[in-house]
Amino acid sequence: MAVWALGINHNTAPLDLRGRFAFAIDQIAPTLHGLREALSSATRHPEVETAILSTCNRTEIYCAAGAPALEHTLGWLAHSGGVSTDVLRSHSYLLEEGSVARHAFRVASGLDSMVLGETQILGQMKNAVRAAEEAGALGSTLNQLFQRSFAVAKEVRSSTEIGEHSISMAAAAVRLAGQLFEDLSQIRILFVGAGEMIELATAHFAAKNPAHITIANRTMERGEKLAARLGASVMPLAEIPEHLHEYDAIISCTASTLPIIGLGAIERALKKRKHRPMFMVDLAVPRDIEPEVKDLRDVYLYTVDDLASVVRTAQAQRQATVAEAEVIIDAGVSNFMQWMHQRAQGGVVPFIQQLNAQTDAWREAEIARAKKLLAKGEDVDAVLDALSRGLTQKMMHGTLAALHKGSEQERAQTLDTVSKLFLRPGKR
């Protein structure tokens, strides 16, 4: 099996381009189905394995099949995002074999994240694997790749201090808000969405005891559960425009494919606020807030990419830790490639295992026979001689039988093989 991966992330592609390739979790199954059909046709291999990891910072496609199909994968993803192959190629990375394993292990360990050492990506990878399994798109090769990724990530986190002193996206947002407002306990905050990222953000902001928190979400039940933990109020998404002016800070992260907070709504809110400043953080990919909002005089809008300079401030202090993690990853890559090599040998490995099992059975049988003879008081030298003769006869029986059977050509082939195995010059 060949293994390859195609991806874009926060280092290779701007926010709006990443937004074109963001897949919501409920889109993964049909997307994988379409991808597998396309690649099966291209590779003429019916058992193509695929998985898609899609987060605010990256979209990555992992594949395994009898033959690699990097260009077809690139073309498929470009088409799905509505861009040319050349545009996607200039902002993406294509990986094969060991490079795929190294990348997956680094991603799982938090070494490839905007926030070095963050743990959220590991959960996102596990969700991606679960979605691929449920869609019937995950086979033994990719399953091995990801399970080893999780094991490497666990070892990195338990053996190094990669996660120490890391600054999360949510913590960075709090820092920026603190630069705008003198006292965060006096502000009113609106959180749009109720997913994992918003939960993290609410935890950080709630620690500052803001004056009021509201959760706006498409599904009211989920919004109410989060609000109950925070002592917050809830509202449906449709009511956001008429209440925007009530909030000093808006933090948004939904799975919407289109912006849900527009320029006009913010302009009207500012008028009602008499141009008191508004702090806004858009953690969604694609965007939840129209990008033109950033140009408004009294709005301080930050995207996931804007937070990069804040969350990277402590990375230089952890370079020694990164080096330690890379050693663990190197070992993981070596082990995975060894496993791939053994699989590529086809039936050789199982045959060797079967051969070892057979010789062990012969050896155990002769040892058991020898022990019985010794227990009866037989001479030790005679017993050892019988043991060695018994083993020799068992191992030579098939060879000798083959030399007396078959056609002249078959016997000649057997003679040649036996000579190479047992009669090599200098063999002891």
Side-chain angles (χ1 to χ4, degrees):
M1 294 287 282
V3 180
W4 70 96
L6 164 66
I8 60 173
N9 65 20
H10 57 283
N11 291 319
T12 68
L15 174 62
D16 288 332
L17 183 62
R18 298 203 306 273
R20 286 178 170 270
F21 301 101
F23 297 98
I25 193 67
D26 58 351
Q27 296 177 302
I28 295 297
T31 301
L32 287 172
H33 179 71
L35 173 60
R36 293 185 77 200
E37 282 192 341
L39 295 182
S40 293
S41 176
T43 62
R44 297 182 181 180
H45 194 286
E47 300 300 325
V48 177
E49 303 177 27
T50 58
I52 295 176
L53 172 63
S54 185
T55 74
C56 62
N57 286 330
R58 71 183 66 245
T59 292
E60 296 179 343
I61 297 174
Y62 293 85
C63 304
L70 279 75
E71 289 300 316
H72 288 91
T73 309
L74 183 71
W76 178 88
L77 185 59
H79 178 75
S80 71
V83 302
S84 70
T85 302
D86 288 340
V87 168
L88 179 58
R89 190 193 309 277
S90 66
H91 291 284
S92 63
Y93 38 92
L94 288 162
L95 308 168
E96 290 186 83
E97 305 307 325
S99 296
V100 177
R102 183 176 306 282
H103 180 76
F105 296 172
R106 295 186 86 255
V107 170
S109 302
L111 268 65
D112 195 60
S113 297
M114 181 181 290
V115 183
L116 183 64
E118 58 95 5
T119 58
Q120 187 180 9
I121 186 62
L122 184 58
Q124 292 168 329
M125 283 189 77
K126 290 181 177 180
N127 289 338
V129 172
R130 190 176 302 113
E133 285 179 329
E134 292 173 354
L138 202 69
S140 59
T141 301
L142 287 189
N143 185 60
Q144 275 288 325
L145 174 69
F146 287 118
Q147 294 307 320
R148 289 169 184 263
S149 297
F150 304 151
V152 166
K154 182 178 180 181
E155 185 176 355
V156 166
R157 297 192 186 285
S158 62
S159 303
T160 74
E161 297 180 354
I162 192 66
E164 294 295 319
H165 313 299
S166 64
I167 305 172
S168 69
M169 300 286 281
V174 173
R175 286 192 179 190
L176 290 171
Q179 294 174 9
L180 179 62
F181 302 107
E182 292 184 4
D183 187 356
L184 295 182
S185 67
Q186 300 300 310
I187 68 172
R188 295 170 60 86
I189 307 176
L190 171 64
F191 292 97
V192 183
E196 186 177 359
M197 185 66 81
I198 288 295
E199 286 192 32
L200 291 172
T202 58
H204 281 77
F205 276 95
K208 301 298 181 180
N209 298 310
H212 184 77
I213 294 177
T214 298
I215 307 295
N217 195 52
R218 193 179 308 278
T219 305
M220 290 299 291
E221 181 181 359
R222 185 166 184 175
E224 287 169 352
K225 286 182 179 179
L226 179 56
R229 296 203 300 267
L230 300 167
S233 59
V234 295
M235 76 164 72
L237 292 183
E239 294 183 9
I240 289 178
E242 62 183 281
H243 292 285
L244 273 175
H245 66 282
E246 301 172 9
Y247 298 95
D248 305 293
I250 297 97
I251 291 86
S252 186
C253 188
T254 74
S256 175
T257 56
L258 296 172
I260 56 178
I261 299 177
L263 177 64
I266 298 298
E267 288 176 329
R268 291 189 293 273
L270 287 172
K271 287 181 180 179
K272 291 181 180 179
R273 291 174 60 82
K274 297 181 179 179
H275 293 278
R276 284 183 292 116
M278 296 179 72
F279 174 79
M280 306 185 77
V281 177
D282 188 351
L283 296 171
V285 179
R287 296 176 189 256
D288 278 345
I289 303 171
E290 289 186 342
E292 294 80 7
V293 169
K294 194 168 188 175
D295 297 328
L296 296 176
R297 182 176 179 180
D298 299 302
V299 172
Y300 298 82
L301 172 61
Y302 299 90
T303 66
V304 287
D305 287 356
D306 294 325
L307 298 178
S309 61
V310 179
V311 301
R312 288 174 177 159
T313 53
Q315 286 192 8
Q317 303 171 12
R318 297 197 296 277
Q319 288 311 305
T321 303
V322 171
E324 294 174 6
E326 295 285 9
V327 171
I328 297 171
I329 289 170
D330 286 344
V333 173
S334 178
N335 290 336
F336 177 72
M337 294 310 297
Q338 183 178 3
W339 178 82
M340 289 284 287
H341 178 68
Q342 289 176 344
R343 290 196 72 201
Q345 291 181 318
V348 173
V349 173
F351 178 77
I352 291 173
Q353 293 172 340
Q354 185 179 1
L355 191 60
N356 285 332
Q358 179 65 78
T359 54
D360 282 344
W362 288 339
R363 182 177 56 82
E364 289 172 4
E366 290 302 319
I367 288 175
R369 180 169 174 269
K371 287 181 177 179
K372 288 181 180 179
L373 292 174
L374 289 173
K376 292 180 180 179
E378 296 284 345
D379 180 69
V380 173
D381 289 337
V383 171
L384 290 175
D385 184 65
L387 184 150
S388 62
R389 288 180 181 275
L391 277 177
T392 302
Q393 289 172 356
K394 283 181 169 61
M395 288 188 286
M396 295 301 296
H397 174 74
T399 301
L400 296 174
L403 288 171
H404 289 93
K405 294 180 180 179
S407 65
E408 184 176 345
Q409 182 180 1
E410 290 173 338
R411 289 198 299 272
Q413 290 176 342
T414 302
L415 278 169
D416 182 60
T417 301
V418 172
S419 295
K420 289 178 180 177
L421 292 174
F422 296 104
L423 303 176
R424 286 180 294 175
K427 185 175 179 64
R428 295 287 189 269

